[in-house]
């Protein structure tokens, strides 16, 4: 792929990500995307083929890297601290939270991710399940080994709740705002530690 093609594709993805964050998937038209990216509709069709595929690629651009970071951190945790629930949860929680302070559009994607949970889009959910469901299964397996007394159904319920709390924390909807004088990085790290403690307590709780 030539540099110009790469730049055009990235420009379209960036514009789409910003617009999806602001207006949602149904509320954003391809015309808005082409206007924001300063390209014609032929460029969108050439690179993506359809709006649905454009939505998918906006997710793939961020989710591939985030999933790799999660799984790499999980493997390291299992090698260095086998059976350590907090280390497993840190691998699950820290890479997504780091997106919230990513200066290259990460904060916009966080809002897009929140939209994916809020809007009923069965095709998008299937795409995410098909492409990233294995990541959740890897973490479920690791957590199951760390908390062997926990029934499988309870494990999946609690992991689901943890994922929901993580999305909420990423979107910064909560009551805890960054205090004056505290850096975004420090605030993010504190949020991660608080969520890890909360999730670990929930996963260890008696059924």
């Amino acid at each position: 792929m030539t540099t110009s093609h790469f730049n055009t594709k990235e420009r379209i993805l960036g514009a789409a990500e910003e617009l999806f964050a602001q207006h949602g998937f149904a509320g954003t038209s391809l015309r808005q995307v082409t206007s924001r990216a300063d390209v014609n509709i032929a460029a969108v069709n050439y690179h993506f083929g359809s709006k649905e595929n454009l939505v998918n690629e906006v997710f793939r651009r961020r989710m591939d890297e985030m999933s790799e970071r999660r799984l790499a951190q999980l493997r390291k945790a299992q090698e260095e601290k086998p059976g350590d629930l907090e280390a497993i949860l840190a691998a699950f929680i820290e890479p997504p939270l780091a997106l919230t302070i990513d200066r290259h559009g990460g904060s916009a994607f966080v809002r897009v991710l929140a939209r994916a949970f809020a809007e009923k889009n069965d095709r998008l959910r299937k795409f995410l399940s098909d492409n990233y469901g294995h990541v959740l299964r890897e973490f479920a397996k690791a957590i199951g080994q760390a908390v062997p007394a926990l029934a499988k159904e309870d494990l999946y319920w609690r992991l689901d709740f943890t994922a929901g709390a993580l999305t909420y924390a990423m979107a910064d909807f909560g009551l805890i705002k960054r205090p004056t004088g505290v850096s975004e990085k420090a605030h993010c790290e504190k949020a991660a530690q608080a969520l890890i403690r909360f999730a670990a307590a929930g996963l260890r709780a008696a059924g």
Side-chain angles (χ1 to χ4, degrees), residues 7 43 58 128 136 151:
N7 288 341
V58 164
L128 293 174
L136 279 176

Side-chain angles (χ1 to χ4, degrees), residues 37 76 99 186:
K76 186 177 179 183
L99 268 178

Side-chain angles (χ1 to χ4, degrees), residues 121-149:
N121 187 324
D122 291 336
R123 287 182 177 179
L124 176 57
R125 290 184 182 187
K126 184 179 188 305
F127 169 80
L128 293 174
S129 176
D130 289 349
N131 288 276
Y132 306 104
H134 69 284
V135 178
L136 279 176
R137 289 191 290 274
E138 285 292 321
F139 277 95
K141 181 180 176 183
I143 292 169
Q145 292 169 348
V147 194

Side-chain angles (χ1 to χ4, degrees), residues 45-92:
N45 290 332
Y46 173 77
H47 288 288
F48 303 102
S50 67
K51 180 180 173 182
E52 180 184 337
N53 197 47
L54 174 59
V55 172
N56 292 347
E57 291 303 311
V58 164
F59 278 88
R60 194 190 300 278
R61 183 171 70 144
R62 303 287 185 185
M63 294 288 289
D64 281 2
E65 183 180 356
M66 186 176 78
S67 296
E68 287 172 11
R69 287 184 180 181
R70 275 176 151 175
L71 292 174
Q73 193 169 332
L74 175 61
R75 287 191 293 270
K76 186 177 179 183
Q78 290 175 313
E79 289 169 6
E80 298 179 358
K81 300 179 179 179
D84 186 313
L85 180 58
E86 280 77 6
I88 294 166
L89 288 170
F92 185 71

Side-chain angles (χ1 to χ4, degrees), residues 2-205:
T2 66
T3 301
S4 62
H5 280 179
F6 177 79
N7 288 341
T8 299
K9 185 175 181 180
E10 283 297 305
R11 212 160 66 239
I12 294 167
L13 285 169
E17 185 176 77
E18 291 173 7
L19 288 164
F20 292 152
Q22 292 170 18
H23 307 296
F25 308 111
T28 298
S29 69
L30 285 182
R31 185 176 295 279
Q32 288 173 296
V33 174
T34 58
S35 177
R36 176 72 66 93
D38 194 23
V39 299
N40 57 37
I41 195 70
V44 176
N45 290 332
Y46 173 77
H47 288 288
F48 303 102
S50 67
K51 180 180 173 182
E52 180 184 337
N53 197 47
L54 174 59
V55 172
N56 292 347
E57 291 303 311
V58 164
F59 278 88
R60 194 190 300 278
R61 183 171 70 144
R62 303 287 185 185
M63 294 288 289
D64 281 2
E65 183 180 356
M66 186 176 78
S67 296
E68 287 172 11
R69 287 184 180 181
R70 275 176 151 175
L71 292 174
Q73 193 169 332
L74 175 61
R75 287 191 293 270
K76 186 177 179 183
Q78 290 175 313
E79 289 169 6
E80 298 179 358
K81 300 179 179 179
D84 186 313
L85 180 58
E86 280 77 6
I88 294 166
L89 288 170
F92 185 71
I93 288 167
E94 288 174 353
L97 271 181
L99 268 178
T100 64
I101 55 174
D102 184 341
R103 294 300 183 188
H104 301 287
S107 59
F109 179 71
V110 168
R111 298 197 302 278
V112 172
L113 195 58
R115 290 275 190 182
F117 281 87
E119 293 186 20
K120 186 173 175 56
N121 187 324
D122 291 336
R123 287 182 177 179
L124 176 57
R125 290 184 182 187
K126 184 179 188 305
F127 169 80
L128 293 174
S129 176
D130 289 349
N131 288 276
Y132 306 104
H134 69 284
V135 178
L136 279 176
R137 289 191 290 274
E138 285 292 321
F139 277 95
K141 181 180 176 183
I143 292 169
Q145 292 169 348
V147 194
L150 188 61
K152 191 171 183 178
E153 183 180 0
D154 288 336
L155 188 158
Y156 274 94
W157 273 114
R158 296 177 192 191
L159 183 54
D160 218 20
F161 295 151
T162 300
L166 172 58
T167 304
Y168 187 86
M170 288 169 68
D172 196 25
F173 289 142
L175 299 174
I176 307 298
K177 302 300 179 187
R178 178 165 60 94
T180 303
V182 175
S183 70
E184 287 186 357
K185 185 173 185 292
H187 185 62
C188 179
E189 289 171 353
K190 190 170 184 178
Q193 290 304 312
L195 183 50
I196 290 165
R197 288 194 300 272
F198 177 81
L203 285 160
R204 289 192 178 109

